Amino acid sequence: GPVHGVQMTISEPFPLESIPDLYQWLASVPAIARAPEFPADWPTFEAQMRERLGASRNWAVRSDDGSLAGAIIMEDCGTMALQAYVVSARWAWGKGYLDEAARQVMAIILGQEGYAYIIGLVKATNHPARAFNKRVGMRLKNWFPGLVAYELTREQWEESEREKGRAGDGETA
């Protein structure tokens, strides 16, 4: 599970000069690199990613020493929702950086900005990504051929935050 007390930072937007890192991270995962929707070459990937980053909310995730650990990208999905994409460096896996970053982004999107929900689509065979969605509070919504859909509504997020507040109160009493 995630490491408690992890020191990380998020900053918006994700820096365009770090797009090569995204490419390297994604291309290193065979299930992603072999997918028909993954661009066949670097110039295509770079062009598509520049367009996606320009049309989305996105954050860089940095470890306590400032190293780029990952990215969170939120793309419009209708007027009330955002679709989440999370990518990380292999060295950051299991350290809790992306878990904590996702929680901070959820607080921004669902709390401060009041979106109704966040969705995430994950390849059914991508077990680490499925586990990540569960850890950060996303709920299984539906199965599609080869894909699993997760969702977190503002109401679910608010209830989770209230429960954490109650748990915190009990610990300090």
Side-chain angles (χ1 to χ4, degrees):
V3 177
H4 296 288
V6 168
Q7 295 296 314
M8 49 65 60
T9 57
I10 60 173
S11 58
E12 186 178 15
F14 184 86
L16 294 178
E17 64 271 13
S18 295
I19 291 174
D21 293 308
L22 291 177
Y23 183 77
Q24 179 183 4
W25 299 338
L26 291 168
S28 72
V29 179
I32 294 172
R34 287 195 296 257
E37 61 272 13
F38 190 75
D41 58 59
W42 161 249
T44 303
F45 179 89
E46 181 183 28
Q48 288 178 358
M49 191 52 64
R50 282 182 178 277
E51 185 176 325
R52 287 181 97 163
L53 291 173
S56 66
R57 298 283 308 272
N58 48 81
W59 292 262
V61 180
R62 297 194 182 277
S63 67
D64 52 354
D65 70 1
S67 299
L68 185 63
I72 297 178
I73 301 168
M74 295 282 190
E75 294 183 346
D76 283 333
C77 184
T79 57
M80 298 173 53
L82 293 172
Q83 183 168 350
Y85 299 90
V86 178
V87 183
S88 68
R90 200 172 278 264
W91 65 263
W93 293 3
K95 296 190 176 2
Y97 297 125
L98 276 294
D99 295 49
E100 180 59 28
R103 290 183 188 100
Q104 289 184 24
V105 170
M106 287 173 178
I108 293 167
I109 298 301
L110 298 172
Q112 296 169 17
E113 297 185 4
Y115 277 87
Y117 57 98
I118 296 170
I119 62 168
L121 294 175
V122 178
K123 288 195 172 298
T125 56
N126 190 340
H127 298 287
R130 291 174 56 192
F132 171 82
N133 276 281
K134 291 177 189 172
R135 280 196 314 274
V136 300
M138 301 283 284
R139 316 261 172 102
L140 179 64
K141 178 70 175 173
N142 211 338
W143 286 84
F144 300 100
L147 289 175
V148 182
Y150 291 89
E151 175 185 76
L152 182 63
T153 67
R154 181 172 53 243
E155 292 77 18
Q156 291 166 338
W157 177 80
E158 289 171 346
E159 177 63 25
S160 173
E161 291 299 296
R162 281 192 296 275
E163 288 173 3
K164 288 178 194 166
R166 283 196 293 272
D169 292 344
E171 291 170 7
T172 58

